[in-house]
Each structure stands twice: as C-alpha cells, then as structure tokens.
Amino acid sequence: MLAAAANTRKADYEHYVRATSWGRWILVAVPLCIAAQLAPLPLRFAHPIWASAHEGIGGLSLGPITADIGLTVNALMLALAAIALLGVTIVVVRDRGRAELVLFVLAGVTAVSALTLDLHRLAPAVAGAAATSELATTLAGFGLILNLAVMQLAAERAETRHSLPRSIVLGLLGLTGALISAAAVFGFSDANNAVAASFGVVLILLILVIRRLDLSPLAASALSVAALIGAAIVLTFLLEKSSGPILLRLVPEMGAETKAALERMLADTRWFGAGAGTFSAVGRIYQSDAGSVLTTPSAAISVFAGMGWVGLVTMIAVSLLALVRLFFGALQRGRDSFFPASAAACVLFALVQSFAGPGLLHPAAILCLSVILGLGLSQSVSQSGSR
C-alpha cells in the first residue's frame, strides 16, 4: 500500500481527494478511535476488568478501555484493511471500463453466495451449512441491488448504440442474478432483512425515476421526502411490533434467557463500550449457562457493545453522510448514475440490515461493502477535472 501510494500519479491523487472530500476525516478517525481503546489509561477510565486484575495480582495502575486486547487488535486490523481497500478501489475504478469489470465481479460473487443460500434452503444436503446463512443473506441483499445496476448498465449500453447482442446478454445475466438474490432475501430470510433489501431497491428505483423523468429540483425533493416519510412509517411499525431495548426490536426471536442476558449487557455498556470486537469475550460474563455461548444477534448490537453510544451514533452518522453523498452524486452522473446509485442502495440496505442480523460482522461482507462504497464514490465525481 505504501509503495503504491508513493507511485500514485497526480491525477489519481486529485481524483481520490475529490471522491473523499465529503468525509476524508472519517478514514482516519475510525482506526484512531479503535486504537485509542488499546492505550493504557488510569484505571478509573479503563474497563473494570483491569481494575479487578490490579486488585487481584497488583502491577501498574493502568489499563485499556477494551476488555480484550487481542480481539480489539483484530478489529483494528480489519478496519485498516477495509479502509485501504476502499482507497485502492477509488483509484482503480477511476477508469469506467475497470469500474464496469468490478461491478460485474461484485454482482457475480454476491449472486453465487445467494445461490448457495437458495440451494441450502431447498436441499440442505447439497450446499452450505446453516451457520453461513447470515453472511449469505447480507451478500444476497448486495447482489440484488448490484444485479439491478447491471441491468441498468445493459439498458444504457443499448441506448447508446453499443453492441445490442452483448447488451441483451448482460441484461439477462443481471436479471438472473437479481432473481437468485431476490429468492434468497425475500424467500429464505426473515421479514426484517426483506424490508432492508426493499429499502435499497426503492432507493435505486427512486434515483432512476428522477433521472429518467428529468424532474425539477422541487419535484425531485417532493418525491424524495415522500419516500423518506414512507420509510420512516415502515420502520416505526417494525419497531413498535416488539418491546424492550430498541436495539433488540428488529433482531430474530430468541429465548427468554438469552434476551435477558443481552438486556443486562446493553444496560451495562458504557459510552465508549468494552472494546471493538470484544462481544464474544464480554458475553461470557452475562451468559447463564457456562456451556453456552452468547452470540450477537445483530451488527448494531456488536458495535454498541464494543464502541458504546459514541460508536453506534458515529456508525449511523457516517452511513447517512455517505448515503447523501452518493445520492446526489448519482443524480449528477447522467448515464453512469447506476454506479453511485447502487452503492447508495447498498449502504442503505447495510444500515437497516445491521439492526436485523449479524451478517455484516463477517470480514467478507465488510470488505465487499468497502469495494462497493469505493466504486460508488469514485464514479460519483466527474472525470473532467482529471488529467
């Protein structure tokens, strides 16, 4: 990465700066916040486990915020990998041909992941273990949106007098991938994951309608506000269907003992959490059965337990900031709007789905989302300023 950065051309650097101008500070702040949890602090600021260790065995009266240094180091490395991959993607897909290639690969990989979930549900002996269904559901949601973008790309190519047979083939492949992914999300996952995917599909269609009809800013704003109100009504309905802490209202049903343990854990979580990636370690304190393992029911709960209210609010704010940047970038990109539009839809799906399941905690999903976000950001800015 350092060697590549040292040999970056001026045009690539300028393109990266323009693509990340909306929030370049985030790329530095996220790993710094995780690294800060590893710093030795006075025990009154550290996790209580280090105060207990000091009382039991003595030693320095210092301790980190995290309850498990090893797990937080793993989380830091994953965050750095995701940010590095995002930056590389922004530079690589500056060229439209390479952007199309990356889109095709992403659409194909996510569709294959969705197919494994379809096959597992239809014939469990054929493919996959049930433990992979959470990741497959998340990738299927990405696949549905990305394959819709491939279909739009094929339509744009046909309209601009590219090879018609090739455009038809691309459109059929995109349709096949979208149907496979839709079957996995809407047929073989719970309702909340389906709602999250629906939000993404509605967003990409909203951008398509605004651009195709060439709506005025006032009409586009009115349509966007109506869609936002509709999404708020749906989310309010889903949240009011169950009781308890708001972070537990969209997750799948669980046993009473597990829910009670999670409620105690959430109630004890401090503003800065117990350390990024430490849910499994801290969960052992709250599980009632020594032989059982308390697993996180959603990515949002894991973020909250690891980074506290500060981390959760930051995650939501960063997602919304990226969503707005990609949305307006899509409206400005003309025939290439499907790149930032699909990235915005994937970000919206990921944000809602993070409260409904733990699929986004898998490194594969995190790295996939990094590439999608890099693709959308890179193609959301005009190339006219590049040399």
Side-chain angles (χ1 to χ4, degrees):
M1 283 294 300
L2 291 174
N7 291 281
T8 301
R9 294 180 300 172
K10 181 181 179 181
D12 292 331
Y13 173 75
E14 291 176 349
H15 179 75
Y16 174 84
V17 169
R18 287 187 295 123
T20 58
S21 61
W22 59 279
R24 199 159 42 250
W25 58 272
I26 299 171
L27 304 182
V28 179
V30 171
L32 282 180
C33 288
I34 298 177
Q37 293 186 318
L38 297 167
L41 300 171
L43 291 178
R44 65 178 180 276
F45 299 110
H47 191 276
I49 193 173
W50 304 113
S52 300
H54 177 71
E55 293 175 359
I57 61 177
L60 296 176
S61 58
L62 299 173
I65 293 175
T66 177
D68 191 301
I69 295 175
L71 292 177
T72 301
V73 169
N74 289 341
L76 175 61
M77 294 300 103
L78 181 57
L80 290 173
I83 291 172
L85 186 57
L86 186 149
V88 169
T89 303
I90 289 176
V91 174
V92 168
V93 301
R94 175 182 164 218
D95 176 74
R96 190 178 190 275
R98 283 182 288 191
E100 290 183 359
L101 177 61
V102 170
L103 176 63
F104 295 152
V105 172
L106 286 170
V109 169
T110 51
V112 169
S113 179
L115 181 60
T116 62
L117 180 58
D118 293 339
L119 293 176
H120 173 74
R121 298 301 189 192
L122 295 173
V126 174
T132 64
S133 62
E134 297 158 353
L135 172 61
T137 299
T138 300
L139 294 182
F142 292 152
L144 173 60
I145 296 167
L146 293 169
N147 280 283
L148 289 177
V150 171
M151 294 171 63
Q152 188 176 348
L153 183 151
E156 297 284 355
R157 279 188 168 185
E159 290 181 358
T160 52
R161 299 182 180 180
H162 281 74
S163 173
L164 184 59
R166 186 178 181 184
S167 299
I168 294 174
V169 171
L170 285 177
L172 291 176
L173 288 175
L175 177 61
T176 302
L179 291 176
I180 291 172
S181 301
V185 174
F186 296 109
F188 302 122
S189 64
D190 60 46
N192 293 333
N193 285 310
V195 169
S198 299
F199 282 173
V201 172
V202 169
L203 180 60
I204 197 172
L205 293 178
L206 174 65
I207 294 172
L208 179 62
V209 168
I210 293 175
R211 193 179 70 83
R212 285 289 185 174
L213 298 181
D214 195 19
L215 298 179
S216 65
L218 181 60
S221 300
L223 187 59
S224 300
V225 170
L228 185 62
I229 293 174
I233 292 173
V234 173
L235 285 177
T236 302
F237 171 76
L238 292 175
L239 291 173
E240 290 179 349
K241 285 176 61 179
S242 59
S243 59
I246 193 169
L247 289 177
L248 294 175
R249 294 189 183 182
L250 294 182
V251 300
E253 291 293 330
M254 63 188 74
E257 292 186 2
T258 301
K259 186 175 182 179
L262 286 170
E263 289 179 350
R264 293 195 303 271
M265 184 177 183
L266 294 179
D268 291 343
T269 299
R270 301 181 299 170
W271 276 96
F272 296 99
T278 61
F279 184 94
S280 59
V282 177
R284 299 191 189 101
I285 302 172
Y286 295 90
Q287 61 192 25
S288 55
D289 184 1
S292 63
V293 177
L294 186 64
T295 57
T296 178
S298 74
I301 290 177
S302 180
V303 171
F304 177 72
M307 303 291 289
W309 282 111
V310 173
L312 182 63
V313 171
T314 301
M315 180 196 78
I316 296 173
V318 169
S319 300
L320 292 177
L321 185 61
L323 180 60
V324 171
R325 176 66 182 86
L326 291 167
F327 179 81
F328 285 104
L331 296 180
Q332 297 169 0
R333 286 295 289 152
R335 68 187 183 92
D336 291 337
S337 63
F338 52 83
F339 288 116
S342 59
C346 286
V347 170
L348 180 58
F349 163 74
L351 178 60
V352 179
Q353 203 260 348
S354 67
F355 290 86
L360 279 169
L361 295 176
H362 294 267
I366 295 173
L367 298 180
C368 183
L369 183 59
S370 294
V371 176
I372 294 171
L373 185 57
L375 175 64
L377 290 174
S378 183
Q379 287 294 317
S380 66
V381 295
S382 172
Q383 305 298 304
S384 59
S386 301
R387 292 192 294 271

